[in-house]
């Protein structure tokens, strides 16, 4: 299959309209989209990604009024989050309406809804004229794509179209918040921080272990480069093919033993560069990537969530 790489929103949306899939940029990571109402098109996403069958998709919208089409019994707490943070890097889990095929939500009676703030994403969804079901546009398990080049690394010749935009603003995925109960709970930490969410509702917490049941995607190994990911640099005489990413510069002995490294300006810069650094290391056949662990506060919570998943083998 030939993969068309285009910066024409009209052209990319024409693929969605004819029941095909297309990758597109958002402010978090690139997504691989299909018409959420078209089961056959949605099936193509699972096939292309090799995505586990029990892992539901986020449905992306461009207008707030679409929420009522997709979901019902929207709680006051959910409304508050939507009012304040839509459009933005947050996904809300709501009770689903029948209109959405079970294939999208994998049989759950809930639906994940997000409204991207990225202009190009919003224009693309509007041009498609339907809600867009989309996971991240990477092969299942590998690091999420933050540029269209990453999408092509995984899908060149395997999907018909990539809408090529700029590198993504944040580089990490959205925060997934379950709003089906009385008190919203974070199922997956992401770009929108717990601290920001708590400004509108102090009761919001991060769901601990049972999130595995609530959000199927959380139980899989994820976000992983081919290299082994470790937290501690234990051996000062590092061998070749090792890399490091973090905010602090390691000492001279360590630095001189590394094949490559990336010192990030701050936590946001760390979040933004993490996945692209993983991919860069894979391209250079790096064997081990040491990652600085950071306090689980602010965006640090999402960074550590991704790193812990990437270190798990
Ligand atoms: P991604 O695969 O990067 O698109 O991430 C989507 C995340 O949202 C995964 O962790 C999914 O398991 C989660 N998700 C999607 N739909 C639902 C839902 N209805 N209930 C709970 N989690 C969901
Ligand atoms: Mg993903």
């Amino acid at each position: 299959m030939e993969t068309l790489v285009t910066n024409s929103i009209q052209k990319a949306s024409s693929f969605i309209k004819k029941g095909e899939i297309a990758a597109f940029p958002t402010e978090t990571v690139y997504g691989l989209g299909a018409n959420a109402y078209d089961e056959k098109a949605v099936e193509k996403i699972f096939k292309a990604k090799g995505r586990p069958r029990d892992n539901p998709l986020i449905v992306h919208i461009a207008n707030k009024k679409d929420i009522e089409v997709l979901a019902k019994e929207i709680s006051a707490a959910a409304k508050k989050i939507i009012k304040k943070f839509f459009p933005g890097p947050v996904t809300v889990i709501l009770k689903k309406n029948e209109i959405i095929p079970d294939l999208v939500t994998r049989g759950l009676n809930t639906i994940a809804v997000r409204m991207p703030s990225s202009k190009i994403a919003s224009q693309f969804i509007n041009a498609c004229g339907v809600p867009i079901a989309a996971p991240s546009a990477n092969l299942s398990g590998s690091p999420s794509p933050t540029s269209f080049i990453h999408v092509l690394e995984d899908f060149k010749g395997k999907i018909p179209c990539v809408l090529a935009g700029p590198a993504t603003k944040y580089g990490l995925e959205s925060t997934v918040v379950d709003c089906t109960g009385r008190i919203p709970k974070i199922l997956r930490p992401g770009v929108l921080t717990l601290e920001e969410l708590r400004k509108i509702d102090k009761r919001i917490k991060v769901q601990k272990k049972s999130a595995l049941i609530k959000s199927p995607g959380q139980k899989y190994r994820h976000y992983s480069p081919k290299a082994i990911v470790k937290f501690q640099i234990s051996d000062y005489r590092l061998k070749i093919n090792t890399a490091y990413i973090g905010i602090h510069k390691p000492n001279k002995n360590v630095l001189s033993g590394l094949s490559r490294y990336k010192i990030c300006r701050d936590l946001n810069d760390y979040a933004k560069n993490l996945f692209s650094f993983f991919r860069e290391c894979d391209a250079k056949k790096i064997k081990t990537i040491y990652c600085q662990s950071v306090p689980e506060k602010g965006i640090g919570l999402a960074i550590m969530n991704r790193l812990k998943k990437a270190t798990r083998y």
Side-chain angles (χ1 to χ4, degrees), residues 44 58 99-100 158 176 200 210 239 241 265 297:
K44 289 178 190 171
I58 294 173
I99 192 165
I100 283 291
K158 295 185 184 125
V176 178
I200 60 156
S210 48
K239 313 231 164 37
N241 293 333
R265 282 193 309 277
K297 282 189 296 199

Side-chain angles (χ1 to χ4, degrees), residues 49 51 55-58 91 93 105 108 110-112 134-136 144 173 176 187-188 214-218 222-223:
K49 276 186 64 102
R51 186 175 174 93
N55 196 0
L57 305 179
I58 294 173
T91 298
I93 308 293
T105 55
L108 296 174
T110 56
I111 180 170
S136 48
S144 298
E173 297 83 354
V176 178
L187 300 183
R188 175 181 74 182
K214 272 270 185 186
S215 193
Q218 293 298 300
H222 243 91
Y223 319 116

Side-chain angles (χ1 to χ4, degrees), residues 206-220:
V206 179
Q207 176 102 350
K208 289 278 146 65
K209 279 201 180 104
S210 48
L212 299 187
I213 302 153
K214 272 270 185 186
S215 193
Q218 293 298 300
K219 68 175 179 256
Y220 295 106

Side-chain angles (χ1 to χ4, degrees), residues 106-290:
R106 307 317 297 196
L108 296 174
N109 59 3
T110 56
I111 180 170
V113 183
R114 180 163 115 74
M115 182 171 168
S117 60
S118 138
K119 218 168 160 187
I120 179 163
S122 178
Q123 287 171 346
F124 171 69
I125 299 164
N126 261 329
C128 294
V130 285
I132 299 296
S136 48
N138 53 283
L139 291 170
S140 210
S142 70
S144 298
T146 60
S147 80
F148 77 89
I149 303 288
H150 299 159
V151 179
L152 290 172
E153 282 168 8
D154 284 13
F155 291 118
K156 189 158 194 257
K158 295 185 184 125
I159 61 172
C161 180
V162 178
L163 176 58
T168 63
K169 181 174 174 192
Y170 297 115
L172 281 189
E173 297 83 354
S174 64
T175 306
V176 178
V177 187
D178 179 9
C179 296
T180 57
R182 216 167 38 85
I183 303 172
K185 290 194 185 93
I186 294 181
L187 300 183
R188 175 181 74 182
V191 172
L192 183 68
T193 63
L194 173 64
E195 291 82 350
E196 278 297 312
L197 279 161
R198 277 199 180 146
K199 279 187 195 159
I200 60 156
D201 193 334
K202 284 202 286 271
R203 304 167 304 170
I204 298 179
K205 289 201 174 76
V206 179
Q207 176 102 350
K208 289 278 146 65
K209 279 201 180 104
S210 48
L212 299 187
I213 302 153
K214 272 270 185 186
S215 193
Q218 293 298 300
K219 68 175 179 256
Y220 295 106
R221 179 174 166 235
H222 243 91
Y223 319 116
S224 307
K226 293 188 185 78
I228 291 172
V229 176
K230 289 187 176 174
F231 280 119
Q232 298 300 334
I233 303 186
S234 51
D235 187 351
Y236 279 6
R237 292 150 294 137
L238 288 170
K239 313 231 164 37
I240 48 166
N241 293 333
T242 45
Y244 168 85
I245 183 167
I247 296 168
H248 297 135
K249 210 170 178 174
N251 72 38
K252 256 198 205 146
N253 291 339
V254 173
L255 213 56
S256 61
L258 294 166
S259 309
R260 58 198 301 117
Y261 63 89
K262 169 115 197 125
I263 312 300
C264 305
R265 282 193 309 277
D266 52 27
L267 284 177
N268 288 330
D269 196 42
Y270 194 178
K272 186 171 176 162
N273 283 288
L274 182 64
F275 289 143
S276 59
F277 188 71
F278 279 178
R279 282 179 178 268
E280 228 179 275
C281 288
D282 277 350
K284 299 284 174 206
K285 307 253 183 302
I286 297 291
K287 293 271 182 347
T288 311
I289 307 170
Y290 293 96

